[in-house]
Amino acid sequence: MRSKNKGPVVQRREQVDGTTTDQRLLDSRGPTDWVHADPWRVLRIQAEFVEGFGSLADLGPAVCVFGSARTPADHPSYAQGEELGRKLVDAGFAVMTGGGPGAMEAANKGACEAGGLSVGLGIELPFESGLNEWCDVGINFRYFFVRKTMFVKYSQGFVVLPGGLGTLDELFEALTLVQTQKVTAFPVVLIGTAYWSGLLGWLRDTVLADGKISAADLDRLVVTDDVDEAVALMTAAQAEGS
């Protein structure tokens, strides 16, 4: 059965439309009457911020876990995600993900089964059908930029499992905010040395070598295969910031 979450609304079968709210906001093609409609969209954007702030204000210490929605349940990264979710809960953190399948589901599952708080912040997409079943608290957003604000505002750090473009987007968003001092004491840990070594090599040998970033920017990234090390770094950062 076709299904799509559109903010708080669920569409099924013939009611599923083929566009997203972000797409309609950013698409400047077509009739110019969008000029008159955009100011009213501010109210919807405001409502998403209010809903997110209100739902997450009492969340407590939390860590965001990112990773591919395409990670199958029998993949080693899925098992790592479950272990990570469980150990973050044991360390006193809530676990927050994008709420989707794959690596996100794994982290939510580990957190939920460990008896901790498992949070999913979903996004309206034409090819995903809502939050995974392991989210104890779930919010569906229409706008990526609102969702990103929630990830950064209500987490003490990011742990990043192997992923694709969406995962890279969140990774570099965090690094940019740290580099520009929009956020402080915000650790970013990549799990999977074999997966991430090519990216780190390019950043070091090309981007850094050409003077586009500083060595300190690279130092902000920790790459490991050890889930315990990732959790320890989150715990140390929380202690430092408290």
Side-chain angles (χ1 to χ4, degrees):
M1 179 178 63
R2 295 175 65 210
S3 177
K4 175 183 172 182
N5 284 81
K6 193 178 184 68
V9 177
V10 177
Q11 297 176 334
R12 292 191 175 125
R13 292 173 284 274
E14 289 77 14
Q15 297 304 312
V16 176
D17 61 34
T19 64
T20 68
T21 309
D22 266 332
Q23 179 185 353
R24 291 191 297 276
L25 171 64
L26 298 174
D27 196 346
S28 60
R29 295 168 294 179
T32 57
D33 59 357
W34 65 268
V35 174
H36 306 290
D38 273 358
W40 293 101
R41 287 196 175 106
V42 173
L43 297 178
R44 177 178 284 174
I45 293 167
Q46 175 181 302
E48 287 212 342
F49 275 112
V50 170
E51 187 68 34
F53 292 154
S55 299
L56 300 174
D58 297 322
L59 182 60
V63 171
C64 278
V65 179
F66 296 108
S68 176
R70 304 181 186 188
T71 302
D74 59 354
H75 193 280
S77 290
Y78 192 100
Q80 276 190 317
E82 286 188 81
E83 180 187 3
L84 177 62
R86 183 172 64 253
K87 290 185 173 179
L88 284 169
V89 165
D90 291 342
F93 292 105
V95 172
M96 190 185 311
T97 79
M104 294 173 281
E105 176 187 285
N108 285 131
K109 181 181 179 182
C112 183
E113 290 186 336
L117 182 55
S118 175
V119 180
L121 305 185
I123 187 70
E124 177 192 342
L125 294 174
F127 47 80
E128 287 187 15
S129 56
L131 300 169
N132 68 68
E133 63 177 310
W134 299 101
C135 298
D136 299 317
V137 175
I139 309 172
N140 280 301
F141 293 93
R142 291 182 172 93
Y143 299 103
F144 268 115
F145 57 86
V146 180
R147 181 185 186 229
K148 286 181 176 181
T149 300
M150 303 303 154
F151 281 140
V152 175
K153 179 173 176 59
Y154 292 106
S155 66
Q156 276 65 56
F158 287 177
V159 182
V160 187
L161 294 161
L165 295 179
T167 304
L168 291 170
D169 177 48
E170 299 295 353
L171 167 61
F172 282 102
E173 172 92 4
L175 292 176
T176 301
L177 291 173
V178 174
Q179 182 197 56
T180 55
Q181 299 181 27
K182 295 294 186 181
V183 294
T184 56
F186 196 88
V188 180
V189 180
L190 307 179
I191 292 185
T193 54
Y195 187 86
W196 296 110
S197 60
L199 174 64
L200 271 292
W202 174 74
L203 288 172
R204 181 184 60 252
D205 299 335
T206 300
V207 184
L208 176 61
D210 203 37
K212 300 298 187 294
I213 60 174
S214 68
D217 295 326
L218 275 185
D219 291 341
R220 296 186 175 100
L221 274 173
V222 176
V223 186
T224 184
D225 292 311
D226 187 349
V227 169
D228 288 328
E229 181 183 0
V231 174
L233 287 165
M234 296 296 136
T235 302
Q238 182 195 18
E240 182 182 335
S242 62

